[in-house]
Amino acid sequence: MKKLFLILFVITSLSLNAQYVTNHAKNINSKETDGYYYHLPRNIIRIDFEVEKEQSFKGKYSSFAKEMLNTDNYIKENSTSFRIKSVNVNLLTEADPDYVFFISAADEKTRENLNIGIELTAEGIIQSFGYRNNITQSNDESFSYKKELDYNERQCDYNYISIREDDMEDDEVDENEAASSKMTEKEIASSIIEEIKNVRIAYFDLISGYQEVNYGNTINIMLDELKKLENEYLNMFLGTTSSRTFTKTFYVIPEEGKNSLVLSKFSDLEGFNNKVGDNIKIVFTDSSIGPNVNKLSNDDIENSTHTNKLFYRNPANVTMQVIFGENKIFEERVLINQFGNVILVPINKMKLVFDTNTGQILSIIKE
């Protein structure tokens, strides 16, 4: 019985007095296996622009619109324009490949009997230390912001990797009869005007009851078809306009020291491009952390060995803006991990829980 107590006392002493060492992963021998790697989290900003694209196509016989329809209200040139309907910003979290650390026992004697008790996410982001039970957390998107834009705000166009666009086809007119009769364009246009007149007469006859026939409920269908046919004829002179809405996305990885990043240029006529137009950029300002927290140097992080300590992150609140030319089209206060500080926390006889989205400590319990 005394021997059993002695064994338990020795094991407990080893655990209580265990020494841990933490190093940056790049300083670890590639054959080292007696320890655990863990990541700190970093943010990725996903910016989704909901864009409306409008295309106008002039009619085949637009040159006769003024003469035959007595109107200036027709499309004179093909054109394309864009406008932003909304900006949606999401902060995503992933393991930071630049902040990977290795924790192990300080000496060979304690390695065999040591149970560190560290819990990680599927990506390897640290969740807890010192616990023997699972401390589960979700690692979903941290924040989501959306801003609807007014028509008066600047128009914009964005692309991300690939945006599939359906081909637009002009209305086709069967001109077999025209070709066989050798009619000129003006003669064809005049014949279409006559068809418009005939359609309008038929429409008037239906609504006035001229034919004295009870069509019942089918009269509405007949009226709709006549109106549709009239519009098709008119579009040959006045032109057509179509629009569609699609989403274009950027992914941005914030970097310390880079407070402004140009995404690309934009022209209202050319859309998203790299040559002409105003700059579209993302800007970070007004960081709420820095001078009040002792920040580790890169040498302390990457080249030093730390005993009984773990690295964690203290994120920064920053103002994030999306700017097009001189116009601010989005602004929000957000937490960005990379603009914060990497700090050390003592772990001897400690139980720690970390926020897997920010790397911040959520709970500290001293045993």
Side-chain angles (χ1 to χ4, degrees):
M1 191 68 174
K2 290 182 179 180
K3 184 182 291 185
L4 177 60
F5 279 118
L6 179 61
I7 293 173
L8 290 174
F9 175 77
V10 171
I11 293 175
T12 303
S13 298
L14 286 172
S15 297
L16 292 177
N17 297 314
Q19 298 292 303
Y20 306 97
V21 290
T22 304
N23 289 279
H24 194 278
K26 75 175 188 178
N27 291 327
I28 302 301
N29 189 302
S30 59
K31 297 181 180 180
E32 179 66 67
T33 59
D34 295 328
Y36 302 89
Y37 288 93
Y38 75 91
H39 292 253
L40 295 182
R42 74 175 181 184
N43 290 126
I44 294 179
I45 301 171
R46 189 183 74 207
I47 310 174
D48 297 317
F49 296 90
E50 187 182 8
V51 182
E52 183 179 69
K53 179 179 181 180
E54 185 174 278
Q55 292 180 292
S56 297
F57 304 92
K58 67 177 183 177
K60 183 174 179 62
Y61 303 106
S62 60
S63 57
F64 303 106
K66 174 67 175 177
E67 176 185 348
M68 297 183 179
L69 293 177
N70 192 29
T71 181
D72 284 322
N73 188 24
Y74 64 96
I75 298 172
K76 299 173 179 63
E77 296 293 339
N78 295 339
S79 64
T80 301
S81 63
F82 302 85
R83 76 173 183 91
I84 292 179
K85 296 181 67 176
S86 66
V87 179
N88 191 31
V89 176
N90 289 277
L91 294 187
L92 312 178
T93 301
E94 69 175 17
D96 193 331
D98 295 326
Y99 287 89
V100 191
F101 302 99
F102 186 79
I103 179 171
S104 62
D107 57 78
E108 294 288 343
K109 293 181 180 180
T110 57
R111 287 186 183 183
E112 294 181 1
N113 299 317
L114 189 62
N115 183 4
I116 290 181
I118 187 171
E119 186 177 7
L120 310 174
T121 67
E123 287 189 282
I125 298 173
I126 189 168
Q127 292 191 101
S128 66
F129 177 86
Y131 285 89
R132 298 298 180 263
N133 298 320
N134 291 334
I135 306 295
T136 58
Q137 297 183 51
S138 63
N139 195 30
D140 298 329
E141 298 175 0
S142 304
F143 305 96
S144 179
Y145 309 93
K146 186 172 184 176
K147 180 183 178 184
E148 301 287 342
L149 298 189
D150 296 329
Y151 279 86
N152 293 330
E153 299 197 39
R154 291 295 298 273
Q155 297 174 357
C156 190
D157 177 35
Y158 289 89
N159 259 327
Y160 177 68
I161 300 179
S162 63
I163 299 294
R164 183 177 178 180
E165 301 187 9
D166 296 328
D167 293 331
M168 302 296 300
E169 296 182 358
D170 293 334
D171 294 331
E172 297 181 356
V173 180
D174 187 359
E175 298 182 12
N176 291 333
E177 295 181 4
S180 62
S181 62
K182 307 297 184 183
M183 294 174 65
T184 65
E185 278 201 350
K186 186 171 184 179
E187 289 172 336
I188 296 172
S190 296
S191 68
I192 295 173
I193 293 295
E194 290 302 315
E195 290 298 324
I196 293 174
K197 292 179 180 178
N198 292 334
V199 169
R200 288 176 175 174
I201 291 172
Y203 189 89
F204 176 79
D205 289 345
L206 281 176
I207 62 174
S208 64
Y210 174 78
Q211 296 179 344
E212 297 183 353
V213 177
N214 184 10
Y215 292 104
N217 293 331
T218 60
I219 190 172
N220 291 327
I221 298 175
M222 296 170 67
L223 291 173
D224 288 342
E225 289 300 318
L226 286 172
K227 183 58 67 175
K228 180 179 178 181
L229 183 59
E230 179 188 4
N231 288 334
E232 288 177 357
Y233 284 137
L234 286 172
N235 287 343
M236 295 180 188
F237 296 90
L238 304 180
T240 59
T241 299
S242 65
S243 64
R244 70 181 189 90
T245 300
F246 57 93
T247 300
K248 296 187 178 183
T249 304
F250 285 103
Y251 286 93
V252 177
I253 301 176
E255 295 183 36
E256 184 181 8
K258 294 184 178 180
N259 295 326
S260 179
L261 173 67
V262 175
L263 301 177
S264 189
K265 290 183 178 296
F266 173 81
S267 165
D268 290 345
L269 297 178
E270 298 294 331
F272 174 70
N273 68 93
N274 294 319
K275 295 181 179 180
V276 297
D278 293 330
N279 284 333
I280 305 165
K281 60 184 178 180
I282 184 170
V283 177
F284 303 98
T285 58
D286 303 326
S287 176
S288 66
I289 195 171
N292 297 324
V293 178
N294 292 326
K295 186 175 182 179
L296 293 174
S297 67
N298 288 335
D299 185 63
D300 287 333
I301 295 171
E302 297 181 359
N303 302 316
S304 301
T305 297
H306 300 275
T307 302
N308 284 339
K309 293 180 180 179
L310 281 182
F311 290 95
Y312 73 100
R313 229 169 190 154
N314 195 199
N317 263 303
V318 298
T319 299
M320 182 177 71
Q321 299 174 332
V322 179
I323 297 175
F324 173 35
E326 299 298 325
N327 297 315
K328 180 174 59 183
I329 61 176
F330 178 90
E331 180 177 278
E332 191 64 57
R333 194 76 171 159
V334 297
L335 271 174
I336 301 294
N337 298 340
Q338 292 91 307
F339 293 149
N341 294 331
V342 175
I343 313 171
L344 287 166
V345 59
I347 57 176
N348 195 22
K349 300 181 183 180
M350 291 287 191
K351 290 183 177 181
L352 305 170
V353 177
F354 299 88
D355 187 328
T356 56
N357 286 315
T358 66
Q360 178 65 279
I361 296 176
L362 296 178
S363 173
I364 301 176
I365 298 176
K366 185 172 180 61
E367 294 179 339

